[in-house]
């Protein structure tokens, strides 16, 4: 059971380049999310999905696109990278849909992205 | 506006002593709180949670206290161990079972042997 897998672990881009950060989970979780972690800012939600075909914006969605064609995969796309997108990106998944249950998020190991 | 605040960026504690990590929040609608631990080069992992209907939750060496009137929660680790050295994030949500949490900025705990 691999949990949440993120690829690549490291990436360096030039300003204006595009790329996709991959995220896959094998726990059959409905909910998946993308966060970015910056010094002094904690974890900020970029986009999230409550199931295949359904996505929505989080706190800091600008410059990022997502899609959810399967339950397992939730890729994050940077269409035109900017230096402000230099960060560590975490993907997370969770299973609970009932308000009475703890919704624990399981995180991947992260992708460290530098935009020059 | 930071709705969840961890005002201590770092904390050092001797092995065997108590570690107390604090978290303050501003949104009175938050009613579910979690603590995550993060080691370098790894993703955060869930540690312990508490609902607003409780004021205390224990799990082994870890206890979380919630003071709703003060909008304050704290994580106590007793006794502290070197393996507890990590960054600790608190997170808050308006209801359990949701997928949207607001995270604090984290506190780096160092337990000295």
């Amino acid at each position: 059971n691999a949990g949440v897998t993120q690829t690549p672990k490291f990436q360096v881009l030039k300003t204006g380049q595009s790329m996709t950060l991959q995220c896959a989970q094998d726990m059959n979780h409905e909910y998946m999310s993308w966060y970015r972690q910056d010094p002094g800012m904690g974890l900020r939600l970029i986009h999230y999905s409550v199931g295949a075909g359904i996505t929505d914006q989080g706190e800091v969605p600008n410059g990022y696109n997502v899609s959810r064609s399967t339950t397992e995969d939730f890729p994050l796309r940077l269409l035109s990278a900017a230096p402000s997108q230099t960060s560590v990106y975490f993907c997370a998944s969770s299973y609970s849909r009932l308000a009475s249950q703890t919704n624990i998020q399981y995180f991947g190991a992260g992708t460290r992205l530098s935009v020059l | 506006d930071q709705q969840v605040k961890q005002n201590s960026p770092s904390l050092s504690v001797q092995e065997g002593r108590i570690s107390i990590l604090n978290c303050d929040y501003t949104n009175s609608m938050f009613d579910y709180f979690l603590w995550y631990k993060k080691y370098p080069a790894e993703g955060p992992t869930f540690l312990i949670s508490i609902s607003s209907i409780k004021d205390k939750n224990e799990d082994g060496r870890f206890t979380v206290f919630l003071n709703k009137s003060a909008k304050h929660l704290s994580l106590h680790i007793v006794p502290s161990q070197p393996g507890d050295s990590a960054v600790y994030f608190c997170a808050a949500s308006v209801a359990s079972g949701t997928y949207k949490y607001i995270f604090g900025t984290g506190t780096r705990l160092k337990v000295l042997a």
Side-chain angles (χ1 to χ4, degrees), chain B residues 19-38:
Chain B
S19 295
I20 300 177
L21 293 86
N22 295 305
C23 181
D24 297 294
Y25 60 96
T26 58
N27 188 343
S28 59
M29 297 299 292
F30 287 148
D31 63 358
Y32 203 81
F33 306 88
L34 298 88
W35 284 93
Y36 282 84
K37 179 167 73 172
K38 183 184 179 305

Side-chain angles (χ1 to χ4, degrees), chain A residues 40 42 48 99 101-103 105 108, chain B residues 32 36 38 43 96-99 104-105:
Chain A
Y48 62 92
Q101 292 181 355
T102 300
N103 189 14
Q105 295 194 333
Chain B
Y32 203 81
Y36 282 84
K38 183 184 179 305
S96 66
T98 68
Y99 40 83
T105 53

Side-chain angles (χ1 to χ4, degrees), chain A residues 55-69:
Chain A
T55 64
D56 206 346
Q57 297 180 349
E59 302 171 70
V60 288
N62 293 338
Y64 307 95
N65 284 344
V66 293
S67 60
R68 184 97 179 269
S69 56

Side-chain angles (χ1 to χ4, degrees), chain A residues 19-21 34 63-67 75-79 85:
Chain A
M19 80 158 294
T20 299
L21 280 64
W34 276 102
Y64 307 95
N65 284 344
V66 293
S67 60
L76 178 71
R77 297 185 188 85
L78 286 71
L79 296 180
Q85 294 178 306

Side-chain angles (χ1 to χ4, degrees), chain A residues 31 33 35 37 40-43 45 48 50 59 90 96-105 107-109, chain B residues 2 32 34 36 38 41-46 49 87 89 95-106:
Chain A
Y31 301 148
S33 308
Y35 293 85
Q37 183 192 5
M41 300 294 288
L43 291 160
L45 182 64
Y48 62 92
V50 300
E59 302 171 70
F90 290 100
S96 173
R97 83 164 52 226
L98 297 177
S100 61
Q101 292 181 355
T102 300
N103 189 14
I104 299 170
Q105 295 194 333
F107 286 82
Chain B
Q2 193 76 21
Y32 203 81
L34 298 88
Y36 282 84
K38 183 184 179 305
E42 295 184 10
T45 54
F46 171 75
S49 63
V87 177
F89 292 98
S96 66
T98 68
Y99 40 83
K100 295 180 71 174
Y101 285 91
I102 304 297
F103 281 80
T105 53

